[in-house]
Amino acid sequence: MSFADEANSDVPTLPGTHSGIPTYLLEKARKEKETVFETRTKPINERQRLPVVPQGIERDDFLKALAELKGQLGAEHVEVNDKPLRDGWYMEHPNTHDMMTILDEEELVASAVVYPSNTEEVQEIVRWANKYRIPIFPISMGRNLGYGGAAPRVRGSVTIDLGKRMNKILDINPEDYTCLVEPGVSFYALYEAIQEKGYDHMWIDSPDLGGGSVLGNTIDRGVGYTPYGDHWACHSGLEVVLPTGEAIRTGMGALPGNNTWQSFPYGFGPYSDGIFSQSNYGIVTKMGMTLMPNPGGYESFLYTFQKEEDLAPLMEIIRPLRISNILENVAQVRHVTQAIAARGLPRATFFSSSGPIPNNIIHAAAAKTPVGDHTWAYYGMSYGPAHIRAHKLALVDSEFLKIPGAKKIDTSTLPPDEYFWARDRVAAGVPDIHELRWVNWTPNGAHIAFSPVSPIRGTDATALFALGKAAHDKYGIDFFPAFCVGLREMHLIVEIVFDRDDVKARKAALDCLRDLVDEAAELGYGEYRTHLVLMDQVAKTYSWNDGAIMKFNEKLKDALDPNGILAPGRCGIWPKRYRGRGWEMTRDSGMGSEGNGVAAD
Amino acid sequence: MSFADEANSDVPTLPGTHSGIPTYLLEKARKEKETVFETRTKPINERQRLPVVPQGIERDDFLKALAELKGQLGAEHVEVNDKPLRDGWYMEHPNTHDMMTILDEEELVASAVVYPSNTEEVQEIVRWANKYRIPIFPISMGRNLGYGGAAPRVRGSVTIDLGKRMNKILDINPEDYTCLVEPGVSFYALYEAIQEKGYDHMWIDSPDLGGGSVLGNTIDRGVGYTPYGDHWACHSGLEVVLPTGEAIRTGMGALPGNNTWQSFPYGFGPYSDGIFSQSNYGIVTKMGMTLMPNPGGYESFLYTFQKEEDLAPLMEIIRPLRISNILENVAQVRHVTQAIAARGLPRATFFSSSGPIPNNIIHAAAAKTPVGDHTWAYYGMSYGPAHIRAHKLALVDSEFLKIPGAKKIDTSTLPPDEYFWARDRVAAGVPDIHELRWVNWTPNGAHIAFSPVSPIRGTDATALFALGKAAHDKYGIDFFPAFCVGLREMHLIVEIVFDRDDVKARKAALDCLRDLVDEAAELGYGEYRTHLVLMDQVAKTYSWNDGAIMKFNEKLKDALDPNGILAPGRCGIWPKRYRGRGWEMTRDSGMGSEGNGVAAD
């Protein structure tokens, strides 16, 4: 599940890299690699096409331009992407491409990766890109797996790996409960820093996996599982390098000498932060984040529901409880198939045929687990002192048990390695990595997400479940639905796990996703976020008034990025010189990743 | 106090107008007019300069253009501003100017007012304005008193009075706890509609005064006093007419057939709502708003503190309680001078000399009130069932009473007309108008606000209090400080009440404000919102990196509004053809409201 997938560090980082993951977790990750990543230890593919050069520039000119950049940043901070993408079980250069690619692995790759150390160097890179009209693609830590990982949208872009060197926690303010971070600060790193300072009055909020960038996750509008789960709503203040090289600070950051940049988000005049989320209008180099006050106690809980059709009445029960904050965090209502997969064993352990795994096999497997057989599981947490929690938990209990067959699981009986405890940690603001285990469901496991938004309603849940099930059945794919209930809406997160070395499996996953996006849009459901290769298609579903919002987005893009150098195509927004030249990727247009050229002027 | 002043309907609306205020309140307002507005019953001023014509167009061409617009909208929906601004105790055309003007009353006036009935007509007006390059200034209901009322920033603009005819509540959703409103829906109207439907499970959030526009207040980033007080954070979805005439819908509104426009704010791609707040980039014609769930009980409380120097330790106590949501709503820490003024009696009742009213007189007056003598009063509310409130109230009590001399007021002893009960109503989501009584402090009472943002800290509160006190003393003005504590920050709201018919009093108020803005900025404090005539000055204080944020704002303005017709100068943002032509109003540039011309091309 990757509700907030910048953090989806499905591939544990090796020592010596810049993950910000503490050593004990790297140890853990190494120990887990046999079980989780055994299927990746195959010999590497032969490299077919590297190195690449950005379209519209000759190879020699590109190398000359890179030499110039090396002169500015230092030669060691500019690397051409000319090494194998895979080396042994792990990648040499994880931030050159998508480690979970849904296309041919060398389709969406960087021509080079650069490592700025500060905002001024980011500005230099942007000016350099304008001078040579080279597409640049900024990443924080490259952990946006399930949504494109570190891959650039335009093949041959120069990737700006911000996180490698810009990984400082610039401030933690224990009075205001805020912090200021650079792009390379992971949820783990922030958590560790707060623990080290002994600030036990403050919590962070982490998405499912803690290895990603706090900043990157937030500007992609990722979500976590404490009451501070809406990361975008919880940030305060950005520093942004614009596509023409100027640096701005938003909110109170624009007032010299202020002491409120991280405590009051809005400032004076237009509140411009939003247009730097899910966009290609600027490179965010610093971000303020609020921290949650320790609630004075917490207690997670688990209910199971027996039948698929329990989903609708459950949603009707959840909605008012969630809006009233009796259910206080992003609720997860998970299907049993994913629960079984999250135990980390390959699908072949249970079922050796092709096609979706039969229900009876899943239920038989579930019956043998400590949680017991069920179809849906609700993972929640209650916050506050014991007597305050008791009030809320009693309400939840009386409501949930109205559904016949509903059970409250006695979580004290669950073994330490049970998935429930991973959810417990995450909902208590403790970064975790257990979630990634379901990637092991297939050989060479990778995943890609379908994530439509709907109201919290039985009818919507049922419609989305039916739509998802039909498409998965059509393509012979196991269906992993999890409903994540925000406040007034829910995100259905469907992770398709596929064998990334199996061309047919990749195609089935992508075809299934393309169906899902279009069919959902016909019913009025749109994605809150999507994978690089689906961005054009998803953007097109937001088509009210003859595509007015995209025309507006393009107007902003052209004004802010007249040379069209910054992350062309991200979220479906193409700069003028790319538009109408075949760069879009849709079901009809095919790959489109090389386009039909770029306007010379 | 006008923390959220679009709602500052200081002038009760007469029957037959389009306020959306229910009849019983109009009755109440009429009854109150003798006490509140007795000073306004003077003979009207002679009109000096009306009608005006927008600069850059000849009178005949302007009238011809208006005739064309009449043909489109209907003659009765286009009115030239050629009638007296005042007639009897009340204004004939309240939405042609600022009823609480700090400048000469006919300085910032409309040339005409137009009344569209729907989004398409707003688009027609915008296209018309582009054709003739006529500045247009949209208002929702014109109640932004204290910040400029209904006045346009550029003299002679054509005011688009959206609220008169676009005043429908388009949806109230009792399942999702949301609504969709047009610009003319007041807090009163929304409240009444919810009551009429019997939806007692949902609350609205109202600012100090309930007569203003929900939409207008929200896009000016106004604030109310329930846990849903941050109106901007609580909205979901906009429909916006761009300065070139296109209509867009933000968030999920861009997805045809969606059912999540009001329940999920972000949509897909850049989240653009923010740039339509405190700006001149678009005309918001519809807005979604979330509604608060009835908390199942509430209980307001009042503590008083004896000494001015209690402010600093009180803030240190408030901060962690507020961030932890033990204090659950926007706290008001008010100075006793304003508490006395809020009783509605003129200052002359207490003190007949000029210069600030002495402390001993204020304290003597306070001693005679049911609340008793004090310097600071904290108005708060606790939400939830009784046993949940008891937990929070006990924590608050033990903390607040650490301050020597602090008293918890037994509110059951307070008479029904006491100001406390107005705060009680507002914090329970019931619109009110009691707040306006302090306008009666001076003859022809008007007010203008200084509203800097700071952390919730004793040192900051003390610094701002000292700064404010010194400036008020310098100009001989009574000082009405109220600290409104958001979550991690507070807004000091200082209302300067002045006699709008007294040129010297107006000048003193404005000079005092200009001092306050500059002196606060030197200490790192910036305004969250400001009056029309201070917008240029305040915008200039947000000057980090050589004014980078304003250069960015101007770049967006020029891209979105190439003819520079929409609300030129709002929030200090001038379109290209106005820049460098003397339109700014600062201490040095003087009035500037007629500028030195507008570029012809």
Side-chain angles (χ1 to χ4, degrees):
Chain A
M1 225 304 302
S2 44
F3 189 63
D5 256 6
E6 166 72 21
N8 236 359
S9 62
D10 305 55
V11 181
T13 309
L14 292 176
T17 63
H18 53 86
S19 68
I21 297 185
T23 311
Y24 75 91
L25 277 158
L26 292 171
E27 290 299 325
K28 189 175 170 199
R30 262 200 300 277
K31 280 181 207 146
E32 285 186 348
K33 87 174 175 170
E34 269 75 31
T35 52
V36 177
F37 296 102
E38 57 185 2
T39 54
R40 293 218 180 128
T41 55
K42 288 184 176 178
I44 58 166
N45 288 346
E46 278 308 299
R47 189 170 74 242
Q48 302 296 324
R49 294 179 292 177
L50 286 179
V52 297
V53 164
Q55 194 162 2
I57 186 168
E58 294 300 317
R59 181 172 172 72
D60 285 353
D61 293 337
F62 179 59
L63 293 177
K64 249 190 275 180
L66 281 182
E68 183 182 317
L69 195 58
K70 284 180 182 178
Q72 291 179 62
L73 304 185
E76 69 276 30
H77 303 311
V78 177
E79 286 188 273
V80 174
N81 181 20
D82 57 3
K83 299 180 197 68
L85 290 181
R86 300 200 214 176
D87 184 8
W89 76 278
Y90 191 63
M91 290 75 174
E92 282 253 305
H93 287 267
N95 283 348
T96 53
H97 62 290
D98 182 2
M99 291 182 286
M100 299 200 156
T101 185
I102 187 78
L103 306 178
D104 178 277
E105 188 165 62
E106 295 205 358
E107 190 68 30
L108 297 182
V109 289
S111 55
V113 187
V114 299
Y115 307 102
S117 69
N118 57 39
T119 301
E120 291 67 34
E121 289 189 355
V122 174
Q123 293 177 279
E124 284 179 38
I125 295 163
V126 168
R127 289 190 205 105
W128 169 87
N130 273 284
K131 183 174 168 187
Y132 295 103
R133 306 229 172 165
I134 290 170
I136 49 178
F137 193 88
I139 59 172
S140 293
M141 295 177 66
R143 308 294 179 86
N144 202 11
L145 299 186
Y147 294 111
R153 174 60 184 82
V154 163
R155 185 168 202 259
S157 296
V158 171
T159 292
I160 307 177
D161 183 336
L162 298 158
K164 183 175 180 184
R165 299 170 71 205
M166 295 172 72
N167 55 12
K168 289 183 287 299
I169 299 170
L170 299 167
D171 187 44
I172 297 176
N173 185 323
E175 293 190 336
D176 296 342
Y177 297 66
T178 63
C179 63
L180 181 67
V181 295
E182 289 189 323
V185 176
S186 71
F187 292 95
Y188 272 115
L190 183 58
Y191 176 78
E192 290 287 310
I194 289 170
Q195 300 309 307
E196 273 164 27
K197 285 181 183 284
Y199 291 154
D200 60 6
H201 64 302
M202 300 192 297
W203 284 18
I204 71 159
D205 181 278
S206 177
D208 289 290
L209 295 169
S213 160
V214 176
L215 185 153
N217 177 275
T218 303
I219 62 174
D220 215 27
R221 301 202 297 260
V223 177
Y225 295 91
T226 76
Y228 274 47
D230 181 348
H231 294 165
W232 184 254
C234 289
H235 96 282
S236 182
L238 302 178
E239 180 182 85
V240 184
V241 173
L242 299 175
T244 39
E246 305 88 345
I248 61 171
R249 288 185 177 175
T250 66
M252 301 307 292
L255 195 122
N258 81 82
N259 57 1
T260 42
W261 194 18
Q262 272 65 70
S263 47
F264 181 64
Y266 302 137
F268 174 78
Y271 176 47
S272 46
D273 290 38
I275 63 171
F276 298 109
S277 70
Q278 290 194 8
S279 82
N280 49 15
Y281 299 158
I283 301 173
V284 180
T285 47
K286 295 184 178 73
M287 184 186 75
M289 196 71 190
T290 57
L291 298 167
M292 178 172 145
N294 183 329
Y298 60 93
E299 182 176 354
S300 57
F301 55 89
L302 172 60
Y303 285 83
T304 59
F305 305 89
Q306 292 308 307
K307 294 175 292 182
E308 265 173 14
E309 53 269 35
D310 291 341
L311 182 64
L314 178 58
M315 286 302 168
E316 294 297 310
I317 287 170
I318 288 174
R319 187 182 57 249
L321 292 175
R322 183 70 185 95
I323 295 175
S324 304
N325 256 327
I326 299 300
L327 294 170
E328 297 165 272
N329 67 336
V330 168
Q332 280 225 352
V333 180
R334 286 199 170 212
H335 193 267
V336 63
T337 311
Q338 197 175 24
I340 294 302
R343 305 188 77 78
L345 294 172
R347 164 191 154 98
T349 316
F350 307 97
F351 187 61
S352 54
S353 309
S354 64
I357 189 165
N359 265 341
N360 62 322
I361 290 182
I362 286 292
H363 284 290
K368 290 182 200 155
T369 67
V371 172
D373 189 23
H374 64 280
T375 292
W376 299 104
Y378 183 104
Y379 299 87
M381 186 174 270
S382 184
Y383 300 88
H387 62 292
I388 302 294
R389 299 198 305 265
H391 166 73
K392 295 177 279 196
L393 289 169
L395 281 169
V396 170
D397 197 64
S398 72
E399 290 296 312
F400 278 16
L401 294 184
K402 286 178 182 168
I403 295 179
K407 280 185 210 157
K408 180 169 188 177
I409 303 299
D410 177 359
T411 56
S412 71
T413 66
L414 299 177
D417 194 40
E418 186 63 29
Y419 174 71
F420 169 80
W421 297 113
R423 294 240 64 81
D424 177 73
R425 287 187 291 275
V426 171
V430 181
D432 202 72
I433 54 170
H434 187 129
E435 186 70 35
L436 56 81
R437 292 193 189 176
W438 45 250
V439 177
N440 207 33
W441 191 242
T442 69
N444 310 301
H447 66 98
I448 187 166
F450 169 59
S451 34
V453 174
S454 81
I456 310 166
R457 252 193 284 278
T459 48
D460 295 299
T462 304
L464 281 167
F465 182 78
L467 183 155
K469 185 86 174 73
H472 281 66
D473 283 350
K474 176 178 168 190
Y475 291 99
I477 299 171
D478 293 327
F479 184 36
F480 288 2
F483 292 91
C484 298
V485 183
L487 190 63
R488 283 175 172 75
E489 49 74 36
M490 58 191 184
H491 299 44
L492 166 61
I493 306 288
V494 177
E495 291 288 359
I496 298 183
V497 177
F498 61 94
D499 179 343
R500 66 173 180 161
D501 288 343
D502 178 340
V503 176
K504 279 188 191 162
R506 287 204 312 251
K507 184 173 175 352
L510 186 54
D511 286 348
C512 182
L513 262 173
R514 292 218 181 276
D515 282 6
L516 287 168
V517 168
D518 284 345
E519 289 166 11
E522 271 172 43
L523 300 179
Y525 306 116
E527 277 64 55
Y528 94 106
R529 185 179 183 188
T530 200
H531 189 283
L532 280 183
V533 307
L534 291 156
M535 285 176 171
D536 293 311
Q537 185 186 356
V538 168
K540 278 187 199 307
T541 64
Y542 287 76
S543 63
W544 185 79
N545 192 19
D546 197 23
I549 198 74
M550 183 52 79
K551 291 174 192 166
F552 172 74
N553 289 342
E554 288 173 350
K555 193 180 273 195
L556 290 188
K557 180 64 177 170
D558 294 342
L560 295 173
D561 185 9
N563 292 323
I565 50 98
L566 185 59
R570 183 154 203 278
C571 290
I573 304 164
W574 292 97
K576 195 170 185 182
R577 70 186 186 121
Y578 283 81
R579 291 202 289 272
R581 292 174 180 272
W583 285 92
E584 293 188 359
M585 279 195 224
T586 61
R587 191 198 305 264
D588 304 324
S589 67
M591 289 299 124
S593 69
E594 306 242 9
N596 296 313
V598 172
D601 60 332
Chain B
M1 225 303 304
S2 43
F3 189 62
D5 257 6
E6 165 73 20
N8 237 359
S9 62
D10 305 55
V11 180
T13 311
L14 291 177
T17 63
H18 53 86
S19 68
I21 296 185
T23 311
Y24 75 88
L25 276 158
L26 291 171
E27 290 301 324
K28 189 176 171 199
R30 263 202 299 280
K31 279 181 207 146
E32 284 187 348
K33 86 173 177 172
E34 270 73 31
T35 52
V36 177
F37 295 102
E38 57 184 2
T39 54
R40 294 217 179 130
T41 55
K42 288 183 177 179
I44 59 165
N45 288 346
E46 280 308 301
R47 189 171 75 243
Q48 302 295 322
R49 293 178 291 176
L50 287 178
V52 296
V53 164
Q55 193 161 2
I57 185 169
E58 294 301 317
R59 181 171 172 73
D60 285 353
D61 294 337
F62 179 59
L63 293 176
K64 249 190 275 181
L66 281 182
E68 182 182 318
L69 195 59
K70 283 180 182 177
Q72 292 179 62
L73 303 186
E76 68 276 32
H77 304 310
V78 176
E79 286 188 272
V80 174
N81 181 21
D82 56 4
K83 299 181 196 69
L85 290 182
R86 298 199 215 178
D87 183 8
W89 76 279
Y90 192 62
M91 290 75 174
E92 282 253 307
H93 286 267
N95 283 348
T96 52
H97 63 290
D98 183 1
M99 292 182 285
M100 299 201 156
T101 184
I102 187 78
L103 305 178
D104 178 278
E105 189 166 61
E106 295 205 357
E107 190 68 30
L108 296 183
V109 289
S111 55
V113 187
V114 299
Y115 307 103
S117 70
N118 57 39
T119 301
E120 292 67 33
E121 289 189 356
V122 174
Q123 293 178 277
E124 284 180 37
I125 295 164
V126 168
R127 289 190 205 106
W128 169 87
N130 273 284
K131 182 174 171 190
Y132 294 104
R133 306 229 172 164
I134 288 170
I136 49 179
F137 193 88
I139 59 172
S140 293
M141 295 177 66
R143 309 294 179 84
N144 202 10
L145 299 186
Y147 294 111
R153 175 60 185 81
V154 162
R155 186 167 202 259
S157 296
V158 172
T159 292
I160 307 177
D161 184 337
L162 298 158
K164 183 175 181 184
R165 300 172 70 205
M166 295 171 73
N167 54 12
K168 288 183 288 300
I169 298 171
L170 299 167
D171 186 45
I172 298 177
N173 185 323
E175 293 191 337
D176 295 342
Y177 296 67
T178 63
C179 62
L180 180 67
V181 296
E182 289 189 323
V185 176
S186 71
F187 292 95
Y188 271 115
L190 183 59
Y191 176 78
E192 290 287 310
I194 289 170
Q195 300 309 305
E196 273 166 27
K197 285 181 184 284
Y199 291 154
D200 60 7
H201 64 302
M202 299 193 297
W203 285 17
I204 71 159
D205 182 279
S206 177
D208 290 289
L209 295 169
S213 160
V214 175
L215 185 153
N217 177 276
T218 303
I219 62 172
D220 215 29
R221 300 203 299 261
V223 178
Y225 296 91
T226 76
Y228 275 47
D230 181 348
H231 294 165
W232 185 254
C234 289
H235 96 282
S236 182
L238 302 178
E239 180 183 85
V240 184
V241 173
L242 299 176
T244 39
E246 305 88 345
I248 62 171
R249 288 185 178 175
T250 66
M252 300 308 292
L255 194 122
N258 80 83
N259 58 0
T260 41
W261 194 17
Q262 273 63 71
S263 47
F264 182 64
Y266 303 137
F268 175 77
Y271 176 47
S272 46
D273 291 37
I275 64 171
F276 299 110
S277 70
Q278 291 194 8
S279 82
N280 49 15
Y281 298 158
I283 301 174
V284 181
T285 48
K286 295 183 179 72
M287 184 186 75
M289 196 73 191
T290 58
L291 298 166
M292 179 173 143
N294 183 330
Y298 61 93
E299 183 176 354
S300 57
F301 55 89
L302 172 59
Y303 285 83
T304 60
F305 305 89
Q306 292 307 306
K307 293 175 294 182
E308 267 173 11
E309 54 269 34
D310 291 340
L311 181 63
L314 178 58
M315 287 301 169
E316 294 297 310
I317 287 170
I318 288 173
R319 187 182 58 249
L321 292 175
R322 184 71 186 95
I323 294 175
S324 303
N325 256 328
I326 299 300
L327 294 170
E328 295 166 273
N329 67 336
V330 168
Q332 279 225 354
V333 180
R334 286 201 169 211
H335 193 266
V336 64
T337 310
Q338 197 175 24
I340 295 303
R343 304 188 75 79
L345 294 171
R347 164 191 154 99
T349 316
F350 307 97
F351 187 60
S352 54
S353 310
S354 64
I357 190 165
N359 265 339
N360 62 324
I361 290 182
I362 286 293
H363 284 289
K368 289 182 200 156
T369 67
V371 172
D373 190 23
H374 64 280
T375 294
W376 299 104
Y378 182 104
Y379 298 88
M381 186 174 270
S382 184
Y383 300 88
H387 64 291
I388 301 295
R389 299 198 305 266
H391 165 73
K392 295 177 279 196
L393 289 169
L395 280 170
V396 171
D397 197 64
S398 73
E399 290 296 311
F400 279 16
L401 294 183
K402 285 179 180 168
I403 295 179
K407 280 184 208 157
K408 179 170 190 177
I409 302 299
D410 178 359
T411 56
S412 70
T413 67
L414 299 177
D417 193 41
E418 186 64 29
Y419 174 71
F420 169 80
W421 297 112
R423 294 241 65 81
D424 177 73
R425 286 186 292 275
V426 170
V430 181
D432 202 74
I433 54 170
H434 186 131
E435 186 70 34
L436 56 81
R437 294 194 186 175
W438 45 251
V439 177
N440 207 34
W441 190 243
T442 68
N444 310 301
H447 65 99
I448 187 167
F450 169 59
S451 35
V453 174
S454 81
I456 311 165
R457 252 195 282 279
T459 47
D460 294 298
T462 304
L464 282 166
F465 182 77
L467 183 155
K469 186 83 175 74
H472 281 67
D473 284 350
K474 177 178 167 188
Y475 291 100
I477 299 170
D478 293 328
F479 184 35
F480 288 2
F483 291 92
C484 299
V485 182
L487 189 63
R488 283 174 173 75
E489 50 73 35
M490 59 192 184
H491 299 46
L492 166 61
I493 306 289
V494 178
E495 291 289 359
I496 298 183
V497 176
F498 61 93
D499 179 343
R500 66 174 181 160
D501 289 343
D502 178 341
V503 177
K504 277 188 192 163
R506 289 203 312 251
K507 183 173 175 357
L510 186 53
D511 286 348
C512 181
L513 262 173
R514 293 218 181 275
D515 281 6
L516 286 168
V517 168
D518 284 346
E519 289 166 12
E522 271 172 42
L523 300 179
Y525 305 116
E527 278 64 54
Y528 93 107
R529 185 178 183 188
T530 200
H531 189 284
L532 280 183
V533 307
L534 291 157
M535 284 176 170
D536 293 310
Q537 185 186 355
V538 168
K540 278 187 198 308
T541 65
Y542 287 76
S543 63
W544 185 78
N545 193 19
D546 197 24
I549 198 74
M550 183 52 78
K551 291 174 194 167
F552 172 74
N553 289 342
E554 287 173 350
K555 192 179 275 194
L556 290 189
K557 180 65 176 169
D558 294 342
L560 295 173
D561 186 8
N563 292 325
I565 50 95
L566 185 58
R570 185 155 201 277
C571 291
I573 303 164
W574 292 96
K576 195 170 184 182
R577 70 185 185 121
Y578 283 81
R579 291 202 288 273
R581 292 174 182 272
W583 286 91
E584 293 187 0
M585 279 194 222
T586 60
R587 190 199 305 267
D588 304 324
S589 65
M591 287 301 127
S593 67
E594 305 243 8
N596 295 313
V598 171
D601 61 333

